[in-house]
Amino acid sequence: MWPTTIGRGLRWLPQQASTVAGQVDALFLFLVTVTVLFSGLIFVLVFLFALKFRRRAEDERPKAIHGSLVLELFWTIVPLGIVIPIFVWGAYLYFAMTQPPAAAMEIYVVGKQWMWKLQHPGGQREINELHVPVNRAVKLTMTSEDVIHSFFVPDFRVKRDVVPGKYTSVWFEATKTGEYYLFCSQYCGTSHAVMGGRIVVMEPTDYERWLTGSVADESLPVAGEKLFARLGCSTCHRTDGSGRGPSLVGRFGKSEKLASGETVLVDEGYVRESILNPQAKLVAGYPPIMPTFKGLITEDGLLQLIAYIKSLKMADGTQAKP
Amino acid sequence: MSTPASDVRTNYLNANYSVRSWLLTTDHKRIAILYLVSISAFFAIGGALAGMLRLALLTPHGDLVQAETYNKLFTMHGITMIFFFLIPSIPAVLGNFLVPIMVGARDLAFPRINLLSWYVYTLGGAFTLVAAVTGGVDTGWTFYTPYSSTYANTNVILTALGVFITGFSSILTGLNFVVTIHKMRAPGLTWNRLPLFIWAHYATSLIMLLGTPVIAITILLVALERGLGIGIFDPNLGGDPVLFQHLFWFYSHPAVYIMILPSMGVMSELVACFSRKRIFGYNFVAFSSVAIAVLGFLVWGHHMFVSSQSMYAGMIFSLLSFLVAIPSAIKVFNWTATMYKGSIALQTPMLYAFGFIGLFTIGGLTGIFLATLAVDVHVHDTYFVVAHFHYIMVGGAIMGYLGGLHFWWPKITGKLYSEVWGRIAAVTLFLGFNLTFFPQFVLGFLGMPRRYHVYPPEFQFLNVMSSAGATVLGLGYLLPILYLTWSLFFGKAAGPNPWGATGLEWQTPSPPPTFNFDKTPVVAEEAYAYDSPLEGHRV
Amino acid sequence: MSDHIPQVAHQFEDATQQYETATLGMWAFLITEIMFFGGLFAGFFVYILAHAQAFAEGSRHLDLTLGTINTVVLLGSSLTMALAVRSAQEGNRNGQMLFLVLTILLGLAFLGIKGVEYAHKFEQHLVPGPQFRLEGPHAQSAQLFFSFYFAMTGVHALHMVIGVGLLAWLLVNAWRGRYTPAYFTPVEVCGLYWHFVDVVWIFLFPTLYLVARHA
């Protein structure tokens, strides 16, 4: 559950603890201004008209005013002229919010009823908490084991749904050390409201100390390599390409031509799908003989395999894009 | 003035007192009354549920009810209010009563289908109530998969069936209105002479016809998946749970225009009458209703900006959502302009109109916040959204419903209510409403998510303010129930036109005779011809 | 209701208004049906884009012969329905009854053939649910195809059953001589409904049996 101790008493505004928070707030403030001005204008006009033109005699018959094309055009075009820039501003900022920087640190998240499981690349696992260094971009790759959840950190102004059957991602760069609420914000059943925790933003040195100090399983790529062997993947996917399946070295992040003629990008989603439903997007030139591993592997296992495959380098040292 | 002895047993109310004559009526006015009774009952249920929610939220620890109970409460509150109160409210009560009279007809095109629509509504309501009392449902009114189709342990199928059945009531009402307005207008009543109430109901009916079937099939698919174990939205079978969201919101967004357009229609009638002036920009207001109906079908993805929908789809939906706000703004400007150099009277219906204009403006503008992609990421699924839609639904739709009810009450019942109490209630509602829902904008921006039965302690002050407001709001709702009921027995008799309004309905007695008109009226002037020298719309 | 003088309901000015209103009402209702089936078609098209091969595999298990026969049967029933409407317009009581009976029989034949298809699917373990079994690499997504197959044809069949019921009611009234050149609105309106149900099949058949096959 999100801790009840990190509150700081009555607040009227959330904190600005990420690089985008201030920008989102600026846009929000602009919207508040527009709202206040327009509502104020209408309130004042209605009030003034009700006062000035109040009925003074029962048999009053005001003259009809049918309308004015000029006015109609005016109050159509002016609002359009205000909302279109708002749209552009919002879309532009949204675009930036969906493009993680290339060197972002990767964290893997699995949501399930009713907790968050988070894993650092070095293998450190957390439940309902995420420790991150300040001033470093962090990209979360997330999936759900059951229903749709949503990863929401108000003080960072970020939110993204976590959907079973696919990966979604969100990124942030924290700008202030401290603790911030993590909420689940897509209703997911009985304990939806307590499925949360905190993000702990630390100075880099404190973060390093935390990493070494916290109990780590083996790192994700190492765990993935073991799983790769245990599930028999290495039988067909030999690194020298001599097996019945393609070598996976250096393939992550590249495009692959499929038997159907289409091209596909080898990303987390593609790898996951190919493990669970191998013939869905079969690489050209290979027979459709890979068995499915549905039911034989958990979401955690899938993330380990993905981390391992990502880490496979070519002979010339090129590595797949992180 | 009292009704002459020769008028005894000549209006639709006293034509026949038997229960059978009510339950088997095909008179659109009686069917409107039947709806008024059922809708009021469901409103009371939905309101009681809201009361429990606000009570539970007084403390941050969730002491009042368990999590599961709270989840059922907000689910039932949403389902009851949306499907059984808001969507039918104005069309089924005021629309049914007034559409035939306003177009100069003796009844709707299909009176028996009209009665059927009430029975279908009641049957759907019965199913849903049974679902509620035999365990309830806890999926949220939005029924998102895979929670609703696979994981929930509550009465999902029964509730889904109830909503499915009630949807047909909506379709039948919409069908009746569209055909009536096309085919049964009195001689001389061209489209551009129609009251704007009719234009609004026409646009609403288009949405009812085109949108409701989509949620019907969506609910059916969820019920099939849940009941028969077949995979449609199940990711384990290659299904896409987000497809449900697309199908669901394809109806449920236009549905909100079903809830607000009739209220806007009422506003045009109120502002015209109580400014004693033709609506400024009639053509633009009429056209805006249709524009809202059309554009309303193109924006459903703005409920899904963070759902894993493609970024580019999000941008298109965002742009269209800004565009759909423009016709609503045009209406507000035209109503305000109508008041300019009018003759403004501040009777109860006009107070509701003012409440509407104020609250709908704020509610609509906060919709702009939600259409803005980068801002919606932050406030989606928080109390900001809850505040936004309550401003529109309560501050907009319910103000229109109550305002219309107060405006046409003398026509429907033949009685006048206490103007003093009417004004007190309107002001109480306005104040209580703002105290309840304005703090929720702040809560949402602070990050308090929706559908939470517990919350961080620093949010308590705003929650307490909101719950206090809910008490005042509840009082505001109670007052009309009391004085309107009182007026039925002790109110002064109303004449045909107590407000001095234009419109065919004010040329009939109050209450009208069963077949509305002795002779089909002939219409010779435009709507709201307050400055016309013709007789017929004088007090 | 009197025997031969067409009754104009109290809300209408004349018989013409009543007739036009009824037909507009049926058209409006059919538009809602387009949206109802449209939701199913939309879902189907979303999935066939994502699971082309699985859907092709599923479609190959459908009985093209029976499906084609059903298409011919249904088209034939639309012809007999149109002839029934014309008989009513001409006041031909025998013609009305004959063509209504033929339409009902063709409709029942359609439903019977559909029933046979469903029985085959049941035997082949192709009904979605815990007992679904399909060999091959696309099994899990192919189940989606069959979910839509049964949902779409099932809803269509339900509409056919309602249609047959309406036709039976028309038949009884035709036998009683209710429909004359001055009043044949119910026949026309039910005819519209029947043609619509036929048109839905004209879209369903290629979508399920033909398009998916070659996806």
Side-chain angles (χ1 to χ4, degrees), chain A residues 14-15 17-21 24-25 93-94 96-98 130 138-140 142 150-161 169-174 180-185 199, chain B residues 306 373-380 382 445 447:
Chain A
Q15 297 189 66
S18 79
T19 49
V20 301
V24 172
D25 287 3
L93 186 50
Y94 177 74
M97 286 161 74
T98 55
L130 177 63
V138 176
K139 176 185 161 190
L140 307 180
M142 314 185 283
S150 195
F151 193 93
F152 177 37
V153 184
D155 294 317
F156 294 172
R157 312 290 185 278
V158 295
K159 178 187 291 120
R160 176 84 17 187
D161 279 6
S169 83
V170 69
W171 79 273
F172 60 82
E173 180 176 325
Y180 307 101
Y181 287 121
L182 163 65
F183 292 131
C184 174
S185 61
I199 314 287
Chain B
V306 298
L373 285 159
V375 171
D376 184 72
V377 168
H378 178 56
V379 295
H380 170 72
T382 67
F445 187 62

Side-chain angles (χ1 to χ4, degrees), chain C residues 145-158:
Chain C
F145 173 84
F146 285 101
S147 299
F148 272 87
Y149 169 77
F150 280 104
M152 291 166 99
T153 57
V155 168
H156 178 259
L158 179 63

Side-chain angles (χ1 to χ4, degrees), chain A:
Chain A
M1 167 154 170
W2 31 266
T4 51
T5 49
I6 68 180
R8 283 165 192 77
L10 179 59
R11 276 195 288 160
W12 299 99
L13 293 172
Q15 297 189 66
Q16 287 180 353
S18 79
T19 49
V20 301
Q23 298 170 66
V24 172
D25 287 3
L27 180 47
F28 190 85
L29 185 60
F30 181 73
L31 286 164
V32 170
T33 311
V34 168
T35 304
V36 167
L37 285 177
F38 265 95
S39 335
L41 174 69
I42 299 292
F43 294 173
V44 162
L45 284 177
V46 167
F47 180 77
L48 281 179
F49 291 169
L51 198 58
K52 182 160 184 246
F53 302 112
R54 65 187 181 280
R55 190 169 298 178
R56 290 175 173 84
E58 244 334 285
D59 56 354
E60 264 179 14
R61 294 276 157 238
K63 238 172 49 129
I65 308 175
H66 279 61
S68 153
L69 183 59
V70 170
L71 263 180
E72 299 289 349
L73 288 174
F74 175 75
W75 60 48
T76 305
I77 292 174
V78 167
L80 264 176
I82 295 175
V83 300
I84 301 289
I86 294 176
F87 159 70
V88 172
W89 186 355
Y92 186 74
L93 186 50
Y94 177 74
F95 184 79
M97 286 161 74
T98 55
Q99 308 298 308
M105 185 174 99
E106 296 229 33
I107 304 278
Y108 296 97
V109 180
V110 175
K112 70 190 269 292
Q113 287 173 323
W114 285 281
M115 61 197 263
W116 295 100
K117 298 190 288 189
L118 303 99
Q119 187 145 39
H120 294 253
Q124 295 82 356
R125 291 168 173 275
E126 305 195 65
I127 303 273
N128 292 336
E129 291 192 346
L130 177 63
H131 288 74
V132 292
V134 73
N135 297 325
R136 177 95 193 275
V138 176
K139 176 185 161 190
L140 307 180
T141 302
M142 314 185 283
T143 187
S144 164
E145 281 183 17
D146 40 41
V147 299
I148 301 181
H149 302 275
S150 195
F151 193 93
F152 177 37
V153 184
D155 294 317
F156 294 172
R157 312 290 185 278
V158 295
K159 178 187 291 120
R160 176 84 17 187
D161 279 6
V162 173
V163 183
K166 62 164 83 155
Y167 290 125
T168 58
S169 83
V170 69
W171 79 273
F172 60 82
E173 180 176 325
T175 51
K176 255 170 57 179
T177 57
E179 291 179 17
Y180 307 101
Y181 287 121
L182 163 65
F183 292 131
C184 174
S185 61
Q186 180 61 250
Y187 177 69
C188 54
T190 309
S191 297
H192 162 65
V194 299
M195 178 177 163
R198 58 182 188 154
I199 314 287
V200 181
V201 181
M202 315 170 94
E203 293 294 346
T205 40
D206 293 329
Y207 176 68
E208 290 305 319
R209 204 177 310 130
W210 176 85
L211 276 179
T212 49
S214 75
V215 175
D217 289 351
E218 54 215 346
S219 76
L220 278 171
V222 168
E225 186 175 15
K226 289 193 181 157
L227 196 52
F228 194 79
R230 204 177 75 232
L231 287 174
C233 317
S234 41
T235 322
C236 295
H237 293 285
R238 303 226 180 92
T239 49
D240 58 3
S242 64
R244 282 172 290 178
S247 158
L248 302 175
V249 175
R251 296 288 192 128
F252 191 92
K254 304 279 193 304
S255 295
E256 206 60 85
K257 193 148 188 289
L258 301 180
S260 61
E262 299 164 44
T263 329
V264 79
L265 173 67
V266 179
D267 60 5
E268 290 92 344
Y270 175 71
V271 175
R272 183 179 181 281
E273 186 179 18
S274 296
I275 296 171
L276 297 177
N277 191 2
Q279 271 72 40
K281 297 199 173 86
L282 192 62
V283 171
Y286 289 93
I289 55 170
M290 175 172 165
T292 170
F293 288 85
K294 211 159 83 99
L296 300 171
I297 189 168
T298 61
E299 293 292 344
D300 291 317
L302 285 165
L303 287 169
Q304 290 166 0
L305 285 177
I306 287 171
Y308 168 63
I309 292 170
K310 273 187 188 177
S311 73
L312 290 174
K313 296 195 240 294
M314 298 284 280
D316 58 1
T318 53
Q319 187 169 24
K321 241 174 17 137

